[in-house]
């Protein structure tokens, strides 16, 4: 059983300094977006913004009153605004993005006190994200005690990867007893892509697809018949591709060197790997691809070239895991909007049978589209992702 038609589904995606929300209304088909927005600058200068479904701003960076400036105040402010626009209608379910489900959660789950305590045990696996995902769950248990909440996991899509693709070359007990294994992330995005792929390309949906989720955080996944079998991200969201400010894969020996010879402490190394590297660190200019493309600095070019070359190499690796490739999909901020990156990646994948149609690649649209040439052996698509809709769907189907 799912929530009833016209009931409201609230989706929450919380981070360390921001809480994003989307409010959906149930319909006979997919949930329909009504409003979205965010509280940002939490702990510093909290501001609230809200938009309608057509992206028109209803509230623009309005200061959130209060002295605590914390998640609690931000959520109360957000809920008060939502209550104002829904005019007495009740929220039927709340879906939360939760970054890590560990080995325990491979499906969305209705939140209970026991689930919260299990989620808290996962904090060491994702210390920068998991606590901020749990905080709004607890606050909303207090504010809306009668509304069921559902945790939707970014790791769940990858939970059934073959064991070989989940392991590191560490002694086996580390994966079994300590949970040190490759989990993979961005699963809600991949699951959304997998859900729409059958309508876009039936052959790819039954076959072998590599999806490139290229945003601020970037990763890639290999889909066999729409199921995840390998991913570039592993134990944390640091592995794989270089990202806006994260290194991507790096020899673990470098970390030992930073620790032992450069005498950096754990916090400094964490800062370096997560916040000062990737496109930002390599270019010395910005973590935003638009800034790098607008720059004529050789280091901006170097950062872009490195990003592209890692995507190309990971495509080879994932195609090998799939034993071939029928389709390549680009999604997220860079994947959806950046024709230059897509063209550069595809140009270096000619050996795999990828041929891009330059006119199709140049089209700007919010719709899924094919960008490969007729004679390309591999079909190439741009498919806008929709993680919020995926959470709304999961929350909807999870509540009885
Ligand atoms: P997040 O991981 O925060 O959800 P997004 O998926 O929104 O990030 O991606 C954000 C990134 O997308 C930006 O940092 C920027 O580099 C890139 N981006 C957005 N629009 C464009 C564009 N028109 N051209 C190139 N890059 C873009």
């Amino acid at each position: 059983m799912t929530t009833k038609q016209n009931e409201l589904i609230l989706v929450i995606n919380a981070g360390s300094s921001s809480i994003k929300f989307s409010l959906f209304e149930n319909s006979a088909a997919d949930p329909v977006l009504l409003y979205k927005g965010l509280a940002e600058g939490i702990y510093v200068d909290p501001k609230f913004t809200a938009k309608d479904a057509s992206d028109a701003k209803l509230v623009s960076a309005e200061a959130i009153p209060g002295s605590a400036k914390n998640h609690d105040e931000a959520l109360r402010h957000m809920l008060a605004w939502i209550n104002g626009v829904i005019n007495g209608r009740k929220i039927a379910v709340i879906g939360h993005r939760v970054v890590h489900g560990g080995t325990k959660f491979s499906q969305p789950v209705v939140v209970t006190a026991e689930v919260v305590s299990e989620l808290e045990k996962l904090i060491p696996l994702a210390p920068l994200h998991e606590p901020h995902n749990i905080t709004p769950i607890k606050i909303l248990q207090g504010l809306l005690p009668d509304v069921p909440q559902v945790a939707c996991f970014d790791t769940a899509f990858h939970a059934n990867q073959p064991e070989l693709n989940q392991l590191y070359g560490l002694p086996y007990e580390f994966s079994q007893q300590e949970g040190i294994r490759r989990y993979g992330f961005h699963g809600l995005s991949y699951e959304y892509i997998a859900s729409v792929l059958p309508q876009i390309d039936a052959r790819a949906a039954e076959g072998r697809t590599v999806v490139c989720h290229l945003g601020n955080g970037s990763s890639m996944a290999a889909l066999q018949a729409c199921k995840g079998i390998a991913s570039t991200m592993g134990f944390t969201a640091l592995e794989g591709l270089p990202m806006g400010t994260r290194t991507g894969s790096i020899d673990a020996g470098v970390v030992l060197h930073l620790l032992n010879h450069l005498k950096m402490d754990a916090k400094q190394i964490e800062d370096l790997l997560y916040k000062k590297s990737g496109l930002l660190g390599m270019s010395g200019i910005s973590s935003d691809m638009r800034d790098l493309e607008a720059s004529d600095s050789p280091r901006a070019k170097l950062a872009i070239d490195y990003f592209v070359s890692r995507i190309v190499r990971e495509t080879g690796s994932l195609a090998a895991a799939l034993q071939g490739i029928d389709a390549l999909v680009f999604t997220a901020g860079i994947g959806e909007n950046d024709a230059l990156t897509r063209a550069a990646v595809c140009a270096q994948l000619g050996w795999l049978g990828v041929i891009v149609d330059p006119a199709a690649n140049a089209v700007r649209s919010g719709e899924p589209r094919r960008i490969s040439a007729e004679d390309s052996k591999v079909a190439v698509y741009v498919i806008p992702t929709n993680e919020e809709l995926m959470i709304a769907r999961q929350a909807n189907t999870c509540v009885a």
Side-chain angles (χ1 to χ4, degrees):
M1 204 170 108
T2 61
T3 51
K4 289 186 223 76
Q5 204 148 328
N6 300 327
E7 281 188 338
L8 299 173
I9 308 164
L10 176 62
V11 170
I12 297 286
N13 179 359
S16 58
S17 65
S18 72
I19 306 173
K20 294 184 188 149
F21 82 89
S22 305
L23 186 71
F24 290 85
E25 180 179 59
N26 230 335
S27 79
D30 247 344
V32 176
L33 181 69
L34 299 180
Y35 302 102
K36 60 187 170 180
L38 84 167
E40 57 193 331
I42 295 173
Y43 296 110
V44 182
D45 182 17
K47 297 260 169 44
F48 178 68
T49 295
K51 296 177 179 176
D52 67 14
S54 62
D55 237 23
K57 273 198 181 155
L58 304 175
V59 180
S60 188
E62 163 191 290
I64 297 175
S67 52
K69 301 186 188 293
N70 58 11
H71 285 77
D72 189 273
E73 268 179 12
L75 260 179
R76 282 172 193 272
H77 188 81
M78 188 178 274
L79 271 188
W81 185 86
I82 291 171
N83 280 329
V85 291
I86 64 179
N87 217 356
R89 291 173 68 190
K90 220 177 139 311
I91 294 168
V93 60
I94 304 170
H96 293 265
R97 176 193 213 142
V98 178
V99 76
H100 218 305
T103 49
K104 179 137 189 139
F105 300 112
S106 53
Q107 297 283 334
V109 62
V110 176
V111 175
T112 59
E114 194 193 339
V115 167
V116 171
S117 110
E118 289 295 330
L119 293 179
E120 282 173 335
K121 289 186 198 152
L122 295 173
I123 289 175
L125 294 185
L128 301 182
H129 295 100
E130 199 86 345
H132 310 299
N133 302 152
I134 299 171
T135 299
I137 294 178
K138 287 172 149 179
I139 296 170
L140 288 167
Q141 281 179 325
L143 293 177
L144 298 172
D146 300 330
V147 180
Q149 302 195 62
V150 176
C152 305
F153 299 97
D154 255 326
T155 47
F157 182 73
H158 309 286
N160 295 316
Q161 293 181 136
E163 188 184 26
L164 284 183
N165 294 342
Q166 297 194 42
L167 289 176
Y168 290 110
L170 286 165
Y172 193 59
E173 352 20 305
F174 282 77
S175 84
Q176 300 305 298
Q177 287 154 25
E178 304 297 334
I180 301 181
R181 56 171 73 186
R182 309 190 68 255
Y183 292 96
F185 298 89
H186 291 135
L188 292 159
S189 175
Y190 294 125
E191 202 161 346
Y192 175 78
I193 301 293
S195 77
V196 295
L197 198 56
Q199 291 107 62
I200 295 168
D201 186 331
R203 186 181 77 125
E206 287 162 17
R208 303 155 300 181
T209 304
V210 170
V211 183
C212 309
H213 176 108
L214 311 177
N216 241 328
S218 295
S219 73
M220 295 168 62
L223 275 56
Q224 173 78 61
C226 286
K227 303 271 185 288
I229 65 134
S231 162
T232 60
M233 276 183 173
F235 180 62
T236 67
L238 199 54
E239 194 179 350
L241 301 178
M243 309 175 211
T245 61
R246 287 174 246 168
T247 49
S249 289
I250 185 166
D251 179 350
V254 173
V255 177
L256 295 175
H257 182 83
L258 298 172
L259 200 61
N260 294 329
H261 295 282
L262 300 189
K263 304 292 177 204
M264 291 172 73
D265 65 24
K267 182 79 193 90
Q268 288 170 319
I269 295 174
E270 181 181 282
D271 244 39
L272 178 72
L273 301 180
Y274 277 92
K275 298 191 175 146
K276 296 183 176 163
S277 298
L279 296 180
L280 173 66
M282 294 188 82
S283 68
I285 294 172
S286 169
S287 62
D288 192 310
M289 184 57 92
R290 287 165 290 197
D291 296 336
L292 302 191
E293 285 173 354
S295 163
D296 50 16
S297 145
R299 274 181 57 185
K301 181 176 178 323
L302 182 77
I304 297 172
D305 288 350
Y306 182 71
F307 183 63
V308 167
S309 104
R310 296 309 309 191
I311 297 167
V312 170
R313 288 178 59 176
E314 293 293 351
T315 307
S317 165
L318 295 173
L322 288 164
Q323 295 288 287
I325 174 169
D326 300 308
L328 181 67
V329 173
F330 289 96
T331 194
I334 299 173
E336 292 166 28
N337 297 302
D338 188 6
L340 290 175
T341 294
R342 293 194 302 258
V345 168
C346 290
Q348 292 182 44
L349 289 174
W351 61 276
L352 259 186
V354 172
I355 307 171
V356 112
D357 173 343
N361 186 38
V363 170
R364 295 190 64 84
S365 151
E367 296 300 315
R369 54 208 185 268
R370 183 176 163 132
I371 60 165
S372 48
E374 280 295 315
D375 53 344
S376 182
K377 276 199 211 126
V378 179
V380 185
Y381 297 96
V382 177
I383 305 180
T385 194
N386 197 337
E387 290 152 291
E388 286 74 22
L389 177 58
M390 200 64 231
I391 296 169
R393 285 177 183 168
Q394 290 188 353
N396 199 11
T397 43
C398 208
V399 288

